[in-house]
Amino acid sequence: MEECCSTKPKKEHNHEGHDHDHGHSHDTGDQSVFQMFLPAVVSFALLLIGIALDYYIKPGWFTGWVRLVWYLVAYIPVGLPVLKEAYESITKGDVFSEFFLMGIATVGAFAIGEYPEGVAVMLFYSVGEVFQAMAVTRAKSNIKSLLDQRPDEVTVLKDGKPETVKAEKVNIGDIIQLKSGEKLGLDGELLSETASFNTSALTGESKPDTKTKGETVLAGMINLNTVSQVKVTTAYKDSKLSKILELVQNATAQKAPTELFIRKFAKIYTPIVVFLAIGITLLPYLFVEDYQFKTWLYRALVFLVISCPCALVISIPLGYFGGIGAGSRNGILFKGSNFLDVLANVQNVVMDKTGTMTEGVFKVQQVDFSTEYNKDEILKLVNALESKSSHPVATAIHEYVGEIDHSIPLENVEEIAGQGLKATINGKELLVGNFKLMDVFNISHSINPEKIVYTLIAVAYDKKFVGYLTIADSIKTDAQLTINKLKSLGVKTTMLSGDKTSVVQYVADTLGIQNAYGDLLPEDKVNKVKEIKAKNQTVAFVGDGVNDAPVVALSDVGIAMGGLGSDATIETADVVIQDDMPSKIPMAINIGKQTKKIVWQNITLAFAIKAIVLVLGAGGLATMWEAVFADVGVALLAILNAVRIQRMKF
């Protein structure tokens, strides 16, 4: 019973259907809607004719075995598949399944001569199953659209001639020729001078992205204009899109507490219901004077139909799956439904600065060197030393100074963590880094770094202070909107950064972030998050998911500004924002809140209606028709409510 109506996708690359572990399938495959409804249509037509013959036309021949056979023929198209499922469930040790409940209820109805009601219960149940299958397919459609973004074949240039080959057989280093309108099958490096791409498959952003020669292009991007050439840098199975697809496919494996509870509840609840039904049938014999077995059996059968927990075990996983699908549609990847629950109740969003709230693209603003030094010569030395670092600051200096002079004889190059770089040139020591580096090497200076807002890169040569460069990083366009929305959701905001305190405080003040701390090492960030958690408050940490791994691990949910970034980001975070837009943080929280709201609406609806009709059924005040509504009707209402999240604007 626990797997009944789960939406867990198979791990193989078969994305066409929806299978359950116990064999129950909602795989719509290539079936048309008509084919899916055909058994129900046949059954419904025969049922209507049977009711007309029973209650209106009343021919003399429509009695006895003729009437029984007629309703049996009406029952078989919808009943046989369910009875088969019940048998298969029993052979696998799952006796108390929903199929077993529906089977004994309808067979029992036939046994006491209530043929139309037996057919009607199974008919409406089957219609509910079809609607469920359609709802699951719809809930998966946003995710499946991702699966269609990766072409199976690509055009590879071999000896200058184009040749079509399977994408998984392409080797690293091969050259792919990409025509206008074609999707790229593998990650690579652009060889053409420029090319424009539609990146919506990866980012949700429809705006064209122009790439230049040497830049990275990713599987799933669509070439928009001229024929382009791409050198493959990553194997098919390791591409960014493959990682994303794998993440989405396995997303429902991580169950939310509510979902896990309902599955456990159904496992205990169903056998209790069966034994209660037996009690309703037999116990009145001891207490009722004019006991009639048929009457109390009918009441027990009504009780069984009402008590089937379909609405819960269908709609709750479907609600969470819908939330994951809504996230995917908006470029937010949840690694499991449990993270939707955590985000729905999150109290603090703790964020990194660089690359999260700022662009992470540094530019040199000012060079302030002592006049006794040749500014251009020192900048050449600094540029040569910074070429040994992959830090964004090094890129900014390289863009400002220009080409690196490789003739400069750098010796004993050393990177000092959190401080900067050191090297020897012609026997003279060159230091490039923050002012902490100057203090460590006892370089005297008269600068007060705290009075300068920008990031400072200090330079010392031959034991003397030369001066500094100021470097600035621009705030992202939607950063202000992000903080405003988080405040409106009642979420507290904190910024933690390794950058200098004055810069961090400036960004925080500009955006209205409540708390900000700079000059932090990774372990300092961990301590700050521990302080928040010590107050029994939930924390979502937003960063790059790699350098901040200790904080991500400590937080209740780690959100990575993954963009089109590293594989490690996609793998380590709980939630990945694909397009680096911070405004997706409040959106993710809102999706979590709406998903949880819908799930609890369904739980309340199912329990309330079932409780009322169960009491009426046990007391003989509800017929099979009310039972059908309490079971299938509530399930359909819950499904319709669950798929609502697909239409919501966040």
Side-chain angles (χ1 to χ4, degrees):
M1 190 66 202
E2 65 182 317
E3 284 298 339
C4 165
C5 311
S6 82
T7 47
K8 181 179 177 181
K10 292 187 283 186
K11 293 197 179 181
E12 295 88 345
H13 292 283
N14 171 18
H15 311 289
E16 294 306 314
H18 170 68
D19 287 337
H20 299 293
D21 295 348
H22 56 38
H24 179 37
S25 170
H26 288 127
D27 185 346
T28 58
D30 296 321
Q31 283 187 301
S32 66
V33 173
F34 175 74
Q35 285 174 309
M36 290 165 67
F37 278 105
L38 184 58
V41 169
V42 171
S43 184
F44 183 59
L46 291 170
L47 176 64
L48 283 182
I49 294 167
I51 289 171
L53 291 170
D54 254 340
Y55 300 103
Y56 300 102
I57 302 169
K58 299 179 182 178
W61 55 267
F62 195 67
T63 56
W65 67 268
V66 175
R67 183 170 178 264
L68 171 61
V69 169
W70 184 276
Y71 283 115
L72 271 176
V73 172
Y75 179 84
I76 285 167
V78 289
L80 203 59
V82 175
L83 294 177
K84 186 183 168 194
E85 294 282 7
Y87 172 74
E88 287 177 1
S89 294
I90 291 166
T91 58
K92 291 177 184 177
D94 183 15
V95 176
F96 299 106
S97 65
E98 61 176 287
F99 318 113
F100 177 72
L101 288 184
M102 301 311 292
I104 58 172
T106 53
V107 170
F110 267 81
I112 59 174
E114 302 290 350
Y115 308 145
E117 292 184 359
V119 175
V121 168
M122 196 58 87
L123 169 64
F124 287 115
Y125 175 73
S126 297
V127 169
E129 285 284 286
V130 175
F131 275 114
Q132 179 195 336
M134 291 170 68
V136 168
T137 304
R138 177 166 181 174
K140 291 173 79 175
S141 63
N142 291 311
I143 293 169
K144 284 176 74 177
S145 67
L146 273 173
L147 304 174
D148 299 330
Q149 298 300 333
R150 183 177 52 181
D152 295 324
E153 295 181 331
V154 294
T155 304
V156 174
L157 292 178
K158 292 192 176 177
D159 300 323
K161 294 178 182 176
E163 189 179 316
T164 303
V165 296
K166 292 279 185 189
E168 64 260 30
K169 292 185 177 172
V170 175
N171 298 314
I172 293 172
D174 285 354
I175 310 296
I176 292 176
Q177 181 174 285
L178 202 61
K179 295 176 194 161
S180 178
E182 262 190 331
K183 287 175 189 164
L184 183 58
L186 299 101
D187 297 355
E189 177 189 323
L190 185 65
L191 296 180
S192 306
E193 288 302 320
T194 60
S196 288
F197 293 90
N198 177 339
T199 65
S200 58
L202 293 153
T203 64
E205 182 63 56
S206 57
K207 189 172 65 180
D209 187 3
T210 302
K211 301 285 184 185
T212 54
K213 186 175 181 177
E215 282 197 270
T216 300
V217 285
L218 302 172
M221 288 184 172
I222 302 170
N223 186 20
L224 292 177
N225 41 31
T226 55
V227 175
S228 305
Q229 290 185 1
V230 175
K231 180 180 169 186
V232 176
T233 57
T234 312
Y236 183 75
K237 63 182 176 63
D238 296 324
S239 70
K240 302 291 183 296
L241 189 56
S242 294
K243 298 279 184 189
I244 290 166
L245 300 187
E246 190 180 335
L247 164 66
V248 172
Q249 282 171 255
N250 297 326
T252 49
Q254 295 270 13
K255 301 293 181 189
T258 314
E259 198 172 347
L260 291 170
F261 166 75
I262 289 299
R263 296 168 96 201
K264 287 176 185 172
F265 168 80
K267 212 171 181 182
I268 299 163
Y269 164 86
T270 312
I272 290 172
V273 160
V274 172
F275 290 117
L276 282 174
I278 294 168
I280 289 169
T281 309
L282 302 176
L283 288 176
Y285 177 76
L286 304 173
F287 306 104
V288 178
E289 284 184 19
D290 57 341
Y291 172 80
Q292 287 184 311
F293 176 76
K294 183 180 173 182
T295 302
W296 288 99
L297 176 60
Y298 180 78
R299 291 183 184 184
L301 296 175
V302 170
F303 181 85
L304 277 181
V305 174
I306 298 163
S307 61
C308 186
C310 283
L312 295 173
V313 293
I314 292 168
S315 63
I316 290 166
L318 189 60
Y320 282 114
F321 202 82
I324 292 170
S328 288
R329 192 178 71 235
N330 288 287
I332 304 166
L333 302 179
F334 294 94
K335 277 195 176 175
S337 51
N338 51 331
F339 301 119
L340 283 161
D341 264 8
V342 176
L343 278 176
N345 299 313
V346 78
Q347 294 162 288
N348 294 271
V349 168
V350 179
M351 63 204 79
D352 191 22
K353 178 182 75 72
T354 309
T356 301
M357 304 309 285
T358 64
E359 296 289 351
V361 179
F362 291 92
K363 289 186 179 174
V364 174
Q365 306 293 317
Q366 177 191 2
V367 179
D368 192 339
F369 287 169
S370 171
T371 52
E372 63 182 276
Y373 294 95
N374 183 316
K375 177 180 166 183
D376 293 337
E377 287 299 319
I378 295 293
L379 283 174
K380 279 184 182 179
L381 299 181
V382 170
N383 195 22
L385 180 54
E386 286 288 349
S387 69
K388 306 299 179 185
S389 170
S390 58
H391 195 279
V393 165
T395 308
I397 290 171
H398 172 57
E399 284 182 2
Y400 181 78
V401 178
E403 203 170 321
I404 296 159
D405 186 348
H406 293 288
S407 66
I408 294 170
L410 292 172
E411 295 174 345
N412 306 320
V413 177
E414 184 185 343
E415 185 162 359
I416 300 160
Q419 294 177 357
L421 295 162
K422 166 180 169 286
T424 306
I425 302 171
N426 298 325
K428 295 177 181 178
E429 189 179 69
L430 176 67
L431 298 171
V432 180
N434 55 30
F435 276 85
K436 285 181 187 174
L437 186 68
M438 301 295 110
D439 297 338
V440 168
F441 286 88
N442 298 315
I443 306 295
S444 59
H445 59 84
S446 57
I447 307 297
N448 182 357
E450 294 305 316
K451 288 193 173 177
I452 301 169
V453 170
Y454 295 139
T455 299
L456 295 176
I457 303 300
V459 180
Y461 187 53
D462 195 19
K463 305 287 185 185
K464 291 180 183 175
F465 183 70
V466 174
Y468 62 86
L469 299 88
T470 61
I471 292 180
D473 180 13
S474 55
I475 294 170
K476 287 185 178 177
T477 51
D478 62 335
Q480 187 65 66
L481 175 69
T482 302
I483 302 303
N484 293 345
K485 283 191 172 180
L486 287 172
K487 282 181 178 175
S488 69
L489 289 167
V491 177
K492 297 170 194 163
T493 52
T494 303
M495 181 179 280
L496 305 179
S497 178
D499 207 343
K500 59 181 275 190
T501 302
S502 60
V503 176
V504 178
Q505 198 59 56
Y506 170 75
V507 172
D509 291 345
T510 303
L511 297 175
I513 294 169
Q514 287 155 296
N515 304 299
Y517 305 93
D519 292 307
L520 300 177
L521 294 170
E523 54 266 34
D524 299 326
K525 291 184 182 182
V526 168
N527 292 331
K528 290 291 180 189
V529 171
K530 278 182 178 174
E531 284 175 24
I532 298 170
K533 286 182 71 73
K535 299 171 188 172
N536 291 323
Q537 294 188 353
T538 49
V539 178
F541 182 82
V542 191
D544 61 17
V546 183
N547 300 335
D548 296 311
V551 204
V552 169
L554 180 66
S555 60
D556 296 288
V557 58
I559 304 174
M561 302 301 283
L564 306 178
S566 71
D567 294 339
T569 302
I570 290 171
E571 286 166 12
T572 57
D574 304 315
V575 178
V576 179
I577 293 172
Q578 287 178 255
D579 54 9
D580 282 348
M581 291 174 67
S583 56
K584 296 291 175 73
I585 301 165
M587 186 185 285
I589 293 170
N590 203 16
I591 290 171
K593 284 183 181 294
Q594 293 301 325
T595 303
K596 193 168 184 183
K597 186 176 171 185
I598 281 172
V599 164
W600 279 103
Q601 282 172 354
N602 284 347
I603 290 171
T604 308
L605 172 80
F607 274 120
I609 293 178
K610 280 184 182 290
I612 293 165
V613 186
L614 272 172
V615 172
L616 294 174
L621 300 172
T623 66
M624 280 280 188
W625 302 105
E626 281 89 355
V628 166
F629 171 73
D631 176 46
V632 180
V634 172
L636 286 175
L637 287 173
I639 289 166
L640 291 171
N641 192 36
V643 297
R644 247 185 345 118
I645 198 163
Q646 298 294 311
R647 295 180 176 274
M648 286 183 181
K649 301 276 184 198
F650 295 100

